[in-house]
Amino acid sequence: MQSWRRKALWLALLASWLLVLLRVFPLLRLAVPARPWAGAPQGWPRWLDAELLQSFSQAGELPEDDPQPPQVPRGGGHCDWGACFNVSKCRGGGLKVFVSPVAGPISDTQRGILASIESSSYHSVSPDEACLLLLLLGPEAPAGECSPVPQQWNGGKNQLVLSLHPALCPQTFPPGQAMVAKASPAVDTFRPGFDVALPLLPEAHPLRGGAPGQLRQHSPHPGVPLLALAEERGGWRVAGADSPACPWDGRCEQNRGPEQTPLGATLPNATFCVIPGHRPEALHFLQALQAGCIPVLLSPRWELPFSEVIDWTKAAIVADKRLPFQVLAALQEMPPTRVLALRQQTQFLWDAYFSSVEKVIHTTLEIIQDRIFGASAHPSLLWNSPPGALLALPTFSTSPSDFPFYHLQRGSRPVGRFSALIWVGAPGQPPLKLIQAVAGSQHCAQILVLWSSEKPLPPRWPKTTVPLTVLAGQRKVSDRFFPHRAISTDAILSLDAHSSLTTSEVDFAFAVWQSFPERMVGFLTWSHFWDEAQGGWGYTAERTNEFSMVLTSAAFYHRYYHTLFTHSLPKFLRTLADEAPTCVDVLMNFLVAAVTKLPPIKVPYGKQHPEARPPLAPGASEQQPPAQDCINQMAEEFGYMPLVSSRLRLDPVLFKDPVSVLRKKYRSLEKP
Amino acid sequence: MLLSRLGAFWIMLEWEEEAVCVIMCASVKYNIRGPALIPRMKTKHRIYYITLFSIVLLGLIATGMFQFWPHSIESSSDWNVEKRSVRDVPVVRLPADSPIPERGDLSCRMHTCFDVYRCGFNPKNKIKVYIYSLKKYVDDFGVPVSNTISREYNELLMAISDSDYYTDDINRACLFVPSIDVLNQNTLRIKETAQALAQLSRWDRGTNHLLFNMLPGGPPDYNTALDVPRDRALLAGGGFSTWTYRQGYDVSIPVYSPLSAEVDLPEKGPGPRRYFLLSSQMAVHPEYREDLEAIQAKHGESVLVLDKCTNLSEGVLSVRKRCREHQVYDYPQVLQEATFCVVLRGARLGQAVLSDVLRAGCVPVVIADSYILPFSEVLDWKRASVVVPEEKMSDVYSILQSIPQRQIEEMQRQARWFWEAYFQSIKAIALATLQIINDRIYPYAALSYEEWNDPPTVKWGSVSNPLFLPLIPPQSQGFTAIVLTYDRVESLFRVITEVSKVPSLSKLLVVWNNQNKNPPEDSLWPKIRVPLKVVRTAENKLSNRFFPYDEIETEAVLAIDDDIIMLTSDELQFGYEVWREFPDRLVGYPGRLHLWDHEMSKWKYESEWTNEVSMVLTGAAFYHKYFNYLYTYKMPGDIKNWVDAHMNCEDIAMNFLVANVTGKAVIKVTPRKKFKCPECTAIDGLSLDQTHMVERSECINKFASVFGTMPLKVVEHRADPVLYKDDFPEKLKSFPNIGSL
């Protein structure tokens, strides 16, 4: 046989085998049985006559052929906002609350709550004016007396039954049409959108102020254990990150021992806090929140507090207790970004709504007020991002971009102009030089003179390039922080008649403010300190290496703080400020610091005028009138010391650098 | 348990694959040896061989033809999806006495009535949905129970089948969707439909079964949920009221408007429109119509109340026309002329007009007490609608007028976005429903409020700062200094000595980036008061400096080059104090600026003495350690590799990253210094180099294009100590030694 033929045969056979292999192999693959993903999945069939199918609602047959309104089962055990609350009583004045008198002795907590409501803007003195009657149930009520149906019960219409602590005598009278605000209500009896779920507070929860969150750093410390498990008797059991084999079913009882934390109100130190779904465990929930430990709730049978407005998916994980391994795996694999966000949100929520009894009560009322407001209620963003809905009033605006806090989230910027608000006090000298200096700034939109002097208005004002308006003040210091309608810009430059600023200083300070629209940017500073000798707070105008307040006689801040100052501060504090004019600076700084939790910002100030100081400079403690002690009274009213110190000053980039003055934008700042 | 079983299953499958290979490989070997025998064969076999050869040749040709023939015969998907007619589906006879499920259980919640075990472990966090095959159900007399399937339900099942949720394996499914069409209760027989449900192969009291219903109830009482007894089955219903809706279990869905597909309606942007308030519904209860007419009488032109047309000519679709006295309006086009549109309840709470209204960018005014709005579990309807109690109907106008114009426009935009995302097609409705159920089962992977509610334009413009909590970290924690070095040991030791003088330093980490040379022996390193740790890297890459090393225990990180010896202890300590007040920013010493070059139409890097800064060099900068994680694992595009390949611009990349994620500017601390050291090419020395400047400008342009925007923020300020250069005794200042050369 010729060799070529042999070779050809060779080749042919090889080729044929290759071919057979190629064709057969996929067939064999298909032939392997019980492989669910063999081939494409058998989807829903494409019907040949799909085009001919009829629509589910025929155009001719109108579904509303019988427009009779259905019989709504009103009353009964079921209520919702539309059916059981009469909004018409609340139109106009917003939410006005009358607290129904409680029979018998009242506890300290109750008294505190009453006082807190009375000092708030919700309070109403007469049940006829009020649109909401509040019935406060106390924990101490003896068994026989806990079911007195109050006088103006009226079937419970427009009533709020509030019990902070799990009542000893639960539900002795049916709530009927009354809203029930109680701690950790069971999901089965909770009426969403009508009842309000409260947190289960510990016995000794502070009335006001409250302990700050425990979180001191944003990200979890590397050594911190992954999980802490809520124990039945109030403690926490820490499970290390490397012992995940033991989930929380109680199957690993034998592992208990040295790791167990002692009983009591110790806060867990872990990244995640696993809380079983039974009712008593709800107490653990607040502990975890305060500790900045992300709550992992296993099929909770109670409604999460304020679930109507708080987006708990941002701060907690509600998981199914039947899938412990999946949950555990999910926690272990959770990306750091999510952990970071959840942790911070727990702290924000704790500080904003849960850290004191007063906040819990105010949040409850705010939720009901939001229902009344309808379209002009708080948007969800205001509830769920700092500083929280209690400090972001919907009466100011419902558009987040109007507030100083949400520009980043909304991708917006504050308006690039400012209004100068010059307060002219008793001496009654028109601040002509100041007006010229301020009007010289290209960012100045308007000048408002708030004339609070008894002297008559000067007949003529200097000609300025920007509009100048004179407002007649009420001769009260707090009046300078009134949200005057004439203020048209986001930024306010607050000035006194005796302030002295150059245009350059104003321009630079405004440039800085635009980077920090939620803070106060000022020139002159004070600092507070703890006075060991006096056992109280003090403050000084002396120049130190740090500061915590800027004087409002020359400061930029957002106009929203005027609204907050006038409408959210307790009346008592405003009166205090009126009586002692220096207190008004302290009060404004308290307010802004309580909202931002950050220090104000200082910018350079050319001249150090002695006369720029307020007339009543603090420091000389002997001659201080009693009102000078306002810082302590305010700290008491706030419940804590909100002021935060800063050790830096923001200067222009080339400030006093050894470079030609011609290169510098704000050169007049450096004149001696 | 389940997990291990699943694992075993997988291993089995892999084994099978291997077995197949073993068989095949063996046969290959055998046959390769075979042909070697051929030459010894006799010539009489030659014919045989030639035949074989030709067969093989023919086979080859045939295969080639098959392979390269235009695929007109059958497309691959049609291999599996049968082409059949709905009329040909199998018929199932339901005996009159077959079981009926219990009525719906009102107390059902996910953790009581839903079997999560079926959803098992799923790394993708996606539920698996099975669809029963289509059957035609008839009773004992052969009378059909319902229309086999409607167009919309067919579309809905097709959408599920085409989605990632679908599985055709009933054993792996977590959710079951019957093919029995209950979208409209009026087209079915209740008892028999319930019997049909009960005989489904995995019915099991309806556990994990999902029913879709848009038109519930029937005359005269019009229940707000499907009347078909369904036991524990989840109900995705249109028109729930608070009395029938099981919060967290059922899903409220929209009533689909067929007009969505039929009518081509170009989008109309938000803004003031001709009519302030419009009512377009035809079947409105006479009492409510009276109320509406009264509002119109009071407010005149700005209110329009339409009714059905009585005298339309033949052939005109009555659903597409509305009338006011004798004037005829096109529907749904007329909705685009109104700012607010009334959505009033009829016999049912859920109204298809809601969908039309949203589509027109008209803000729905929902007047239907106790109605659960569609997808209300996840959608924030306050942003897109106004809900008015029926009692307050006469006040509607004044309620609406109190809403500021800006908010109205926002609501119009939001309404339109809701329609686009969740209303416009049956597919959108089906997928949103499944996503909601999926979110409940895998809560740790659920979509956020923003993902559900923010329109794309807002999502794009907004920044969610990862370190949003206002917090000043305690000073006691201190910072970790990370020194990146290659081989400049002498300079490195000087830097270590200088940095170790800073009071708040808590640890020093040297990243040894030289693979060819060992770091000096332990005894040679300077003795310092804090732990010093040397990390050796596998490759000489710039990104090593930003790796989130486990050794970093503090939140604050000081990145410092091995030649930055000119910073004083006061300056470094002050820098750390500044970082504590701005923990979410880059706080650094030498500042730089980016500028837009109008001539070249691109970005330019600037290192001159400018009045502004937008970047700080990471040759000496404090930042939060979280940004190391971001730099290493979340850097957009190919920037990280690009930087490593070019051995440049890692600091610019870091500036871009931080500014992009926080939306904030850098903080430059302390006055400008000459960053030069005698024996090394320091940052400034290098920066003067012309080619270096060009390269850096290239980096900015490259990064800006990858980020799709210019995230850097320009500011005019820097941070100095409170009393810096003030007329004040130096010895009383906290940080006296700042800015001196």
Side-chain angles (χ1 to χ4, degrees):
Chain A
M1 195 200 284
Q2 288 99 331
S3 60
W4 65 268
R5 209 177 273 174
R6 219 181 288 159
K7 279 179 188 158
L9 273 169
W10 248 98
L11 267 172
L13 265 165
L14 259 174
S16 68
W17 266 107
L18 261 171
L19 246 163
V20 166
L21 274 180
L22 280 174
R23 298 297 312 167
V24 167
F25 193 71
L27 280 178
L28 270 176
R29 281 177 60 115
L30 281 177
V32 176
R35 290 181 60 169
W37 59 85
Q42 297 270 328
W44 182 251
R46 266 61 176 164
W47 305 107
L48 285 170
D49 44 4
E51 294 298 311
L52 305 175
L53 291 175
Q54 290 188 323
S55 174
F56 77 109
S57 70
Q58 290 307 305
E61 170 236 345
L62 281 169
E64 302 97 327
D65 45 7
D66 179 13
Q68 190 68 40
Q71 294 298 308
V72 175
R74 280 173 196 257
H78 222 109
C79 255
D80 72 2
W81 180 253
C84 297
F85 193 89
N86 181 7
V87 194
S88 58
K89 287 182 83 177
C90 311
R91 291 268 167 236
L95 180 67
K96 287 286 174 219
V97 182
F98 176 77
V99 185
S100 302
V102 185
I106 59 170
S107 68
D108 282 350
T109 321
Q110 278 175 302
R111 198 172 293 122
I113 294 171
L114 289 179
S116 150
I117 293 175
E118 269 162 29
S119 69
S120 75
S121 53
Y122 308 114
H123 184 244
S124 163
V125 283
S126 118
D128 302 324
E129 277 176 27
C131 81
L132 182 75
L133 300 178
L134 186 125
L135 179 66
L136 210 56
L137 293 189
E140 296 90 352
E145 291 173 30
C146 55
S147 59
V149 173
Q151 292 156 8
Q152 297 107 350
W153 181 240
N154 190 21
K157 194 137 184 133
N158 286 28
Q159 301 259 0
L160 174 68
V161 179
L162 193 141
S163 78
L164 275 182
H165 302 278
L168 292 175
C169 42
Q171 300 287 311
T172 41
F173 61 90
Q177 294 189 320
M179 293 179 282
V180 178
K182 66 175 179 181
S184 305
V187 276
D188 303 327
T189 55
F190 183 74
R191 296 167 291 183
F194 190 64
D195 289 341
V196 181
L198 300 183
L200 184 59
L201 300 177
E203 291 291 323
H205 206 59
L207 188 64
R208 222 175 255 145
Q214 296 284 299
L215 211 61
R216 285 283 144 262
Q217 56 178 52
H218 289 96
S219 49
H221 197 266
V224 158
L226 183 73
L227 291 177
L229 314 178
E231 295 271 86
E232 271 173 30
R233 284 153 298 158
W236 292 88
R237 178 158 54 92
V238 171
D242 46 342
S243 61
C246 172
W248 38 81
D249 270 359
R251 272 181 252 155
C252 40
E253 294 283 319
Q254 68 273 20
N255 288 11
R256 283 183 179 197
E259 280 181 313
Q260 198 170 358
T261 51
L263 295 179
T266 46
L267 294 180
N269 182 20
T271 308
F272 295 100
C273 280
V274 181
I275 301 165
H278 329 296
R279 290 280 295 287
E281 307 291 346
L283 203 56
H284 279 113
F285 181 68
L286 271 200
Q287 284 182 359
L289 216 56
Q290 184 183 6
C293 179
I294 303 161
V296 179
L297 302 159
L298 300 177
S299 307
R301 273 177 251 153
W302 41 277
E303 188 73 19
L304 293 187
F306 306 134
S307 54
E308 186 177 339
V309 291
I310 293 179
D311 181 2
W312 282 107
T313 59
K314 285 187 163 61
I317 293 163
V318 179
D320 201 306
K321 69 172 174 201
R322 293 171 290 174
L323 297 177
F325 286 104
Q326 279 82 329
V327 176
L328 197 64
L331 297 185
Q332 278 168 332
E333 284 161 21
M334 190 168 285
T337 314
R338 183 93 202 280
V339 174
L340 209 57
L342 287 165
R343 265 168 64 94
Q344 293 175 70
Q345 190 75 6
T346 60
Q347 292 295 285
F348 151 63
L349 291 176
W350 164 263
D351 274 338
Y353 306 117
F354 298 106
S355 66
S356 71
V357 174
E358 190 176 64
K359 281 176 190 164
V360 171
I361 300 287
H362 282 200
T363 308
T364 310
L365 297 178
E366 202 71 26
I367 288 174
I368 294 170
Q369 175 161 283
D370 263 13
R371 291 183 193 158
I372 295 167
F373 279 167
S376 37
H378 288 102
S380 170
L381 177 70
L382 268 56
W383 278 106
N384 292 296
S385 57
L390 297 184
L391 294 169
L393 308 179
T395 44
F396 173 70
S397 168
T398 48
S399 172
S401 314
D402 287 342
F403 291 88
F405 318 114
Y406 313 106
H407 287 301
L408 278 175
Q409 283 113 310
R410 305 292 297 176
S412 58
R413 293 170 63 91
V415 178
R417 317 280 305 272
F418 68 86
S419 307
L421 181 63
I422 306 175
W423 188 73
V424 183
Q429 287 294 321
L432 304 178
K433 214 173 140 195
L434 183 64
I435 288 174
Q436 290 299 354
V438 171
S441 167
Q442 52 173 334
H443 304 292
C444 184
Q446 57 176 166
I447 293 176
L448 303 165
V449 177
L450 190 59
W451 193 263
S452 279
S453 170
E454 293 186 9
K455 290 193 182 169
L457 280 169
R460 211 173 292 157
W461 291 91
K463 276 213 181 304
T464 51
T465 46
V466 292
L468 187 147
T469 319
V470 181
L471 307 168
Q474 295 182 329
R475 298 195 199 114
K476 277 197 297 185
V477 189
S478 60
D479 196 40
R480 55 188 298 184
F481 299 126
F482 185 81
H484 302 283
R485 281 187 165 271
I487 302 170
S488 61
T489 57
D490 287 341
I492 293 176
L493 170 58
S494 168
L495 294 165
D496 271 0
H498 55 255
S499 309
S500 145
L501 287 176
T502 64
T503 308
S504 212
E505 281 165 340
V506 170
D507 277 342
F508 177 68
F510 182 63
V512 170
W513 179 84
Q514 285 181 299
S515 287
F516 306 95
E518 79 281 18
R519 302 208 210 179
M520 285 174 88
V521 175
F523 300 87
L524 291 166
T525 57
W526 287 345
S527 54
H528 75 289
F529 57 89
W530 179 255
D531 191 342
E532 286 290 347
Q534 304 266 334
W537 294 101
Y539 63 106
T540 171
E542 281 187 23
R543 291 160 72 197
T544 53
N545 284 296
E546 50 184 47
F547 66 93
S548 52
M549 291 179 266
V550 297
L551 268 64
T552 54
S553 58
F556 277 99
Y557 53 82
H558 198 280
R559 79 185 161 113
Y560 172 64
Y561 289 116
H562 276 204
T563 305
L564 209 53
F565 187 95
T566 310
H567 296 304
S568 119
L569 279 179
K571 210 179 221 163
F572 160 73
L573 287 179
R574 287 206 306 278
T575 325
L576 187 73
D578 281 335
E579 284 164 8
T582 43
C583 283
V584 86
D585 284 300
V586 180
L587 186 55
M588 193 62 172
N589 277 283
F590 261 63
L591 178 69
V592 179
V595 171
T596 61
K597 319 238 181 294
L598 293 170
I601 284 171
K602 175 175 166 57
V603 287
Y605 185 54
K607 289 173 273 183
Q608 300 291 340
H609 298 260
E611 74 271 25
R613 303 264 174 78
L616 287 166
S621 53
E622 299 87 31
Q623 294 119 19
Q624 272 185 11
Q628 272 298 308
D629 193 35
C630 56
I631 187 165
N632 282 309
Q633 292 184 45
M634 282 174 199
E636 195 181 325
E637 187 67 24
F638 273 77
Y640 70 112
M641 167 50 74
L643 295 179
V644 186
S645 293
S646 168
R647 312 193 75 178
L648 59 90
R649 181 182 76 199
L650 292 183
D651 292 336
V653 171
L654 299 180
F655 187 69
K656 299 201 176 167
D657 273 357
V659 65
S660 160
V661 155
L662 295 176
R663 275 183 178 271
K664 299 184 181 179
K665 185 174 174 190
Y666 301 103
R667 50 193 86 127
S668 63
L669 281 186
E670 302 183 16
K671 280 179 191 155
Chain B
M1 182 63 192
L2 190 78
L3 199 73
S4 61
R5 259 172 48 196
L6 215 77
F9 182 55
W10 271 96
I11 291 165
M12 232 168 68
L13 289 170
E14 271 164 32
W15 263 97
E16 265 170 322
E17 188 131 12
E18 219 160 280
V20 170
C21 176
V22 166
I23 297 162
M24 296 311 296
C25 299
S27 58
V28 168
K29 270 183 211 155
Y30 172 77
N31 287 289
I32 284 171
R33 231 178 273 135
L37 302 168
I38 294 169
R40 286 184 213 148
M41 300 277 169
K42 301 230 167 100
T43 25
K44 66 177 174 185
H45 294 287
R46 208 181 289 164
I47 289 273
Y48 171 76
Y49 282 120
I50 288 169
T51 326
L52 193 78
F53 184 76
S54 46
I55 289 170
V56 166
L57 211 72
L58 270 170
L60 260 172
I61 292 165
T63 319
M65 274 173 70
F66 186 78
Q67 288 285 327
F68 300 108
W69 202 259
H71 281 245
S72 62
I73 311 161
E74 268 168 320
S75 74
S76 60
S77 67
D78 283 5
W79 271 76
N80 302 304
V81 181
E82 326 154 58
K83 278 273 177 191
R84 286 184 296 152
S85 162
V86 175
R87 275 166 297 168
D88 304 338
V89 297
V91 176
V92 177
R93 187 176 291 271
L94 297 166
D97 57 348
S98 64
I100 304 177
E102 301 269 313
R103 278 203 67 83
D105 182 355
L106 263 180
S107 67
C108 264
R109 294 291 180 274
M110 286 309 265
H111 60 262
T112 54
C113 293
F114 194 85
D115 179 10
V116 274
Y117 295 114
R118 285 191 182 278
C119 311
F121 185 73
N122 195 331
K124 280 191 212 141
N125 293 327
K126 275 242 163 182
I127 52 170
K128 288 285 163 212
V129 184
Y130 176 81
I131 306 174
Y132 288 98
S133 59
L134 188 61
K135 305 249 167 64
K136 184 175 183 176
Y137 294 92
V138 294
D139 62 11
D140 276 337
F141 307 101
V143 182
V145 164
S146 63
N147 294 341
T148 315
I149 191 165
S150 65
R151 189 181 345 135
E152 283 80 8
Y153 201 56
N154 181 47
E155 255 175 64
L156 193 147
L157 295 181
M158 202 144 72
I160 297 177
S161 150
D162 290 346
S163 72
D164 293 346
Y165 297 107
Y166 180 70
T167 179
D168 61 350
D169 182 1
I170 198 165
N171 293 311
R172 297 180 37 168
C174 144
L175 200 63
F176 304 89
V177 181
S179 57
I180 302 164
D181 181 359
V182 292
L183 278 184
N184 183 354
Q185 190 184 312
N186 281 354
T187 60
L188 51 87
R189 290 155 68 190
I190 289 171
K191 181 182 154 231
E192 287 77 5
T193 308
Q195 287 173 327
L197 287 174
Q199 56 76 52
L200 292 170
S201 62
R202 299 286 167 119
W203 177 250
D204 183 24
R205 300 191 58 198
T207 312
N208 292 23
H209 280 65
L210 175 64
L211 305 179
F212 285 89
N213 166 252
M214 287 180 180
L215 300 175
D221 55 345
Y222 286 100
N223 193 356
T224 53
L226 182 67
D227 282 319
V228 177
R230 53 187 191 279
D231 210 344
R232 294 175 151 193
L234 295 142
L235 181 62
F240 275 119
S241 75
T242 45
W243 288 276
T244 48
Y245 180 63
R246 295 171 289 182
Q247 176 112 10
Y249 193 67
D250 289 329
V251 183
S252 177
I253 61 169
V255 181
Y256 176 69
S257 164
L259 289 182
S260 294
E262 285 167 19
V263 186
D264 186 32
L265 197 65
E267 188 181 343
K268 192 175 175 188
R273 295 176 174 187
R274 190 170 159 202
Y275 303 108
F276 184 68
L277 182 63
L278 174 80
S279 162
S280 63
Q281 281 162 288
M282 296 196 272
V284 173
H285 189 262
E287 261 181 50
Y288 292 154
R289 187 166 289 282
E290 261 174 43
D291 283 347
L292 289 169
E293 299 283 354
I295 296 170
Q296 171 157 26
K298 192 172 169 195
H299 299 285
E301 283 292 282
S302 62
V303 180
L304 183 63
V305 179
L306 298 173
D307 202 348
K308 59 170 155 285
C309 299
T310 45
N311 49 354
L312 279 181
S313 53
E314 285 294 307
V316 178
L317 263 176
S318 65
V319 283
R320 300 283 309 276
K321 297 284 173 201
R322 295 288 185 277
C323 289
R324 166 86 199 148
E325 282 154 9
H326 296 293
Q327 196 157 3
V328 184
Y329 297 85
D330 283 330
Y331 184 87
Q333 284 83 349
V334 67
L335 295 173
Q336 289 192 326
E337 301 296 318
T339 309
F340 290 100
C341 295
V342 174
V343 177
L344 193 61
R345 72 131 144 243
R348 296 188 178 90
L349 287 173
Q351 296 287 319
V353 69
L354 177 62
S355 178
D356 298 335
V357 164
L358 292 174
R359 182 188 191 186
C362 184
V363 181
V365 180
V366 181
I367 308 177
D369 283 357
S370 77
Y371 175 43
I372 304 284
L373 280 157
F375 303 129
S376 61
E377 187 174 337
V378 291
L379 297 191
D380 184 357
W381 279 99
K382 262 201 287 188
R383 285 169 69 171
S385 70
V386 182
V387 178
V388 177
E390 286 171 33
E391 262 182 25
K392 298 277 139 208
M393 195 152 150
S394 44
D395 300 345
V396 155
Y397 197 85
S398 59
I399 292 173
L400 298 178
Q401 272 204 319
S402 67
I403 303 172
Q405 180 61 30
R406 202 150 53 121
Q407 194 183 344
I408 292 175
E409 282 174 26
E410 198 63 37
M411 288 169 119
Q412 288 176 318
R413 218 170 278 132
Q414 192 73 17
R416 172 74 194 185
W417 150 247
F418 276 180
W419 181 80
E420 279 170 17
Y422 310 111
F423 279 72
Q424 70 165 322
S425 63
I426 285 284
K427 184 180 173 184
I429 296 172
L431 294 185
T433 310
L434 293 183
Q435 182 69 50
I436 288 175
I437 297 171
N438 197 74
D439 281 4
R440 292 181 193 156
I441 293 166
Y442 305 109
Y444 29 81
L447 293 186
S448 68
Y449 169 90
E450 287 76 16
E451 283 168 301
W452 279 108
N453 288 289
D454 283 352
T457 46
V458 174
K459 279 179 196 148
W460 181 244
S462 77
V463 172
S464 64
N465 186 355
L467 306 169
F468 63 84
L469 188 73
L471 195 66
I472 298 187
Q475 193 185 18
S476 55
Q477 203 183 71
F479 65 90
T480 306
I482 301 181
V483 192
L484 184 74
T485 190
Y486 191 74
D487 59 0
R488 290 184 292 208
V489 174
E490 196 186 328
S491 164
L492 169 72
F493 284 179
R494 276 188 69 187
V495 169
I496 292 175
T497 320
E498 286 301 314
V499 172
S500 69
K501 291 176 191 160
V502 183
S504 283
L505 178 74
S506 80
K507 192 187 244 182
L508 215 150
L509 207 62
V510 175
V511 179
W512 190 264
N513 227 358
N514 188 344
Q515 286 76 39
N516 304 321
K517 202 166 127 187
N518 286 334
E521 278 177 45
D522 287 352
S523 57
L524 299 175
W525 290 85
K527 300 283 169 286
I528 56 171
R529 54 171 188 88
V530 295
L532 188 149
K533 180 121 189 171
V534 182
V535 180
R536 300 199 61 182
T537 58
E539 222 180 318
N540 179 19
K541 289 196 293 190
L542 279 178
S543 57
N544 288 339
R545 97 174 317 170
F546 296 135
F547 188 82
Y549 297 101
D550 287 340
E551 284 83 359
I552 308 174
E553 287 179 307
T554 59
E555 289 204 289
V557 170
L558 167 68
I560 188 159
D561 282 348
D562 60 359
D563 54 0
I564 304 290
I565 48 169
M566 64 299 290
L567 286 173
T568 65
S569 165
D570 264 354
E571 282 167 337
L572 286 172
Q573 179 66 23
F574 176 67
Y576 172 62
E577 301 275 343
V578 173
W579 175 84
R580 286 180 51 228
E581 292 190 32
F582 303 100
D584 53 347
R585 303 189 188 219
L586 272 175
V587 173
Y589 296 84
R592 293 291 181 267
L593 184 65
H594 72 284
L595 290 169
W596 181 251
D597 188 337
H598 284 285
E599 281 171 32
M600 311 283 284
S601 289
K602 57 182 196 179
W603 297 106
K604 199 172 127 224
Y605 180 78
E606 180 66 67
S607 69
E608 283 297 306
W609 295 77
T610 54
N611 285 292
E612 295 163 323
V613 270
S614 62
M615 291 174 272
V616 291
L617 302 185
T618 53
F622 288 93
Y623 58 87
H624 195 282
K625 71 171 172 190
Y626 172 70
F627 296 130
N628 270 355
Y629 163 81
L630 282 188
Y631 188 97
T632 308
Y633 299 110
K634 302 280 166 186
M635 182 64 94
D638 60 340
I639 291 183
K640 185 164 167 266
N641 292 332
W642 192 87
V643 165
D644 284 338
H646 287 71
M647 283 300 256
N648 197 355
C649 298
E650 88 286 7
D651 48 355
I652 297 180
M654 190 57 146
N655 274 281
F656 265 75
L657 183 76
V658 176
N660 187 54
V661 78
T662 63
K664 295 185 177 180
V666 296
I667 301 274
K668 175 192 159 29
V669 277
T670 67
R672 190 176 173 118
K673 281 190 140 184
K674 284 272 178 259
F675 274 84
K676 258 185 188 158
C677 58
E679 70 277 353
C680 52
T681 49
I683 305 152
D684 266 35
L686 253 172
S687 301
L688 293 173
D689 187 0
Q690 199 57 43
T691 58
H692 177 73
M693 296 298 288
V694 173
E695 270 180 34
R696 304 280 279 179
S697 298
E698 279 311 305
C699 291
I700 294 183
N701 284 301
K702 154 90 185 164
F703 298 162
S705 75
V706 174
F707 277 85
T709 174
M710 169 47 79
L712 297 178
K713 302 272 180 290
V714 180
V715 289
E716 298 183 343
H717 51 77
R718 70 161 200 244
D720 287 327
V722 174
L723 299 173
Y724 173 71
K725 293 253 168 152
D726 266 4
D727 183 16
F728 199 72
E730 286 295 317
K731 60 182 177 194
L732 292 179
K733 292 185 183 175
S734 292
F735 307 100
N737 197 5
I738 276 183
S740 49
L741 289 174

